[in-house]
Amino acid sequence: MSEPTPSAPLFDTIALLGVGLIGSSIARVARKRGDLARRIVANARTEATLRRVQELGLADACEIDPARAVADADCVILCAPVGAYAALAEAIGPHLKPGAIVTDVGSTKQSVIRDILPHLPENVHLVPGHPMAGTEFSGPDAGFAELFEGRWTLLTPPPGTDPEAIAKMKTFWQRCGATVSVMDANHHDRVVAIVSHLPHLIAFTICGTADDLADETRQEVLQFAASGFRDFTRIAASDPVMWRDIFLNNREALLEMLARFTEDAQAMARAVRWGDAAYIEDKVHRGRKIRQALIDLNQA
Ligand code: NAP
């Protein structure tokens, strides 16, 4: 049987602004498949990262100046912490190729539109994106080509975005192995606030609380760390700058979900105080059902 004909590259040149876990994973998929882009240009904040990108063979060209990095690109992908987006967009805006698509992988989406759109010329398309895939590791060594396989990527184009640009980004992420959903940025931010941002806030907080305990207890916490605490420490090991930026750029939705969670936690505390066994059991049952639903959806 003959091999299926490989598809033509979707883009001629993609520019990655940021080549950490996510950016380098995109570069790796692009290298492996060959049908995402003919050429990859990488940009990072530091020379050290660009040197490593070169050593790993992840890009055809490396550029420390973001304006030069995007000059020939028909797709520009911002893969830096979201707090850096406004300055990056301002730097690249005047240098973008007419007809180019600007997209990103940031974990917040209303702030991304707020920070990028004002800097784009009229003939450039903004299609923000968020691959719902990651690990607690950072940097160009942390990426791998399979990161997006079987995961969701959420696209949040502002109203009026060219449907062809949206379709191209859909194909891009599908070729990366992801399933794509297009939604409004406000909806995205509320969804990720509960499924990602609040769990991280709780993990950072619980690790801080444990760390605040007296030395003797702290040793015990670490020594006898049970799987519950261990799972929190894995989440809490994430990059501080990235998470600072996420919390500050999804402030409203995160605070709303935290308020709801706090009410529910208070209700659980009341059940514990008053010995309401049925309430406690019911909540644990619900947790188990949600876990099973994730397993059934292949997202566990
Ligand atoms: P990362 O591994 O820490 O890499 C960040 C990259 O951005 C590095 O190449 C870094 O360059 C560059 N960078 C940092 N600050 C910059 C600045 N001020 N200006 C320009 N470039 C800068 O981060 P990541 O985990 O790939 O995350 C990147 C984006 O993906 C974030 O917006 C995050 O919200 C989103 N995201 C992350 C995950 C996850 O699980 N990690 C999942 C989904 C989405 P240097 O190395 O030279 O500093």
Side-chain angles (χ1 to χ4, degrees):
M1 234 169 63
S2 62
E3 286 285 307
T5 323
S7 312
L10 200 55
F11 296 107
D12 182 76
T13 301
I14 58 172
L16 297 168
L17 307 187
V19 263
L21 170 72
I22 304 290
S24 78
S25 294
I26 293 175
R28 284 177 170 93
V29 196
R31 281 284 193 246
K32 190 170 155 190
R33 292 188 55 108
D35 62 358
L36 292 181
R38 188 186 62 78
R39 191 163 167 271
I40 303 170
V41 181
N43 160 264
R45 191 177 37 159
T46 62
E47 295 280 3
T49 294
L50 289 183
R51 265 198 304 278
R52 189 64 190 137
V53 167
Q54 255 160 354
E55 281 163 14
L56 292 167
L58 295 177
D60 301 287
C62 288
E63 264 298 347
I64 193 76
D65 176 3
R68 288 170 62 106
V70 304
D72 294 324
D74 36 16
C75 178
V76 174
I77 313 178
L78 278 76
C79 304
V82 289
Y85 279 17
L88 279 172
E90 190 179 3
I92 64 173
H95 307 276
L96 291 163
K97 229 168 88 163
I101 295 176
V102 173
T103 184
D104 80 304
V105 298
S107 309
T108 62
K109 293 276 65 86
Q110 289 178 103
S111 77
V112 164
I113 297 173
R114 177 199 69 203
D115 290 348
I116 298 183
L117 201 53
H119 300 288
L120 300 190
E122 285 225 332
N123 51 14
V124 164
H125 312 288
L126 176 63
V127 187
H130 179 195
M132 305 285 289
T135 72
E136 66 277 29
F137 302 112
S138 308
D141 285 282
F144 50 101
E146 299 74 26
L147 178 63
F148 311 113
E149 266 171 29
R151 298 285 163 196
W152 283 94
T153 291
L154 310 180
L155 298 179
T156 65
T161 304
D162 176 20
E164 256 184 58
I166 301 172
K168 245 180 150 175
M169 288 319 300
K170 258 191 180 174
T171 307
F172 181 92
W173 282 108
Q174 282 163 350
R175 288 187 186 180
C176 288
T179 309
V180 179
S181 178
V182 179
M183 63 178 64
D184 165 76
N186 172 51
H187 180 60
H188 165 277
D189 286 358
R190 285 172 57 81
V191 170
V192 295
I194 188 70
V195 300
S196 169
H197 303 173
L198 181 62
H200 276 82
L201 184 149
I202 293 169
F204 298 136
T205 309
I206 200 169
C207 288
T209 307
D211 198 41
D212 283 344
L213 295 179
D215 272 0
E216 185 193 336
T217 321
R218 189 158 78 206
Q219 280 216 334
E220 279 188 354
V221 168
L222 295 180
Q223 197 174 344
F224 304 125
S227 64
F229 188 72
R230 270 206 305 270
D231 290 348
F232 278 121
T233 62
R234 185 188 58 74
I235 299 174
S238 304
D239 185 69
V241 171
M242 181 179 119
W243 281 97
R244 175 202 69 190
D245 285 2
I246 291 172
F247 285 5
L248 295 179
N249 284 284
N250 198 18
R251 194 188 315 251
E252 258 177 52
L254 177 57
L255 290 177
E256 186 199 325
M257 297 309 162
L258 179 60
R260 285 178 179 229
F261 171 79
T262 308
E263 270 179 31
D264 291 345
Q266 290 294 353
M268 179 61 105
R270 194 179 156 78
V272 172
R273 180 177 305 281
W274 294 99
D276 187 344
Y279 183 96
I280 298 168
E281 225 179 286
D282 179 58
K283 291 291 166 217
V284 179
H285 268 301
R286 223 169 141 189
R288 282 167 64 113
K289 260 170 67 185
I290 291 168
R291 174 73 189 165
Q292 191 54 50
L294 275 193
I295 292 170
D296 295 344
L297 287 166
N298 267 334
Q299 297 293 317

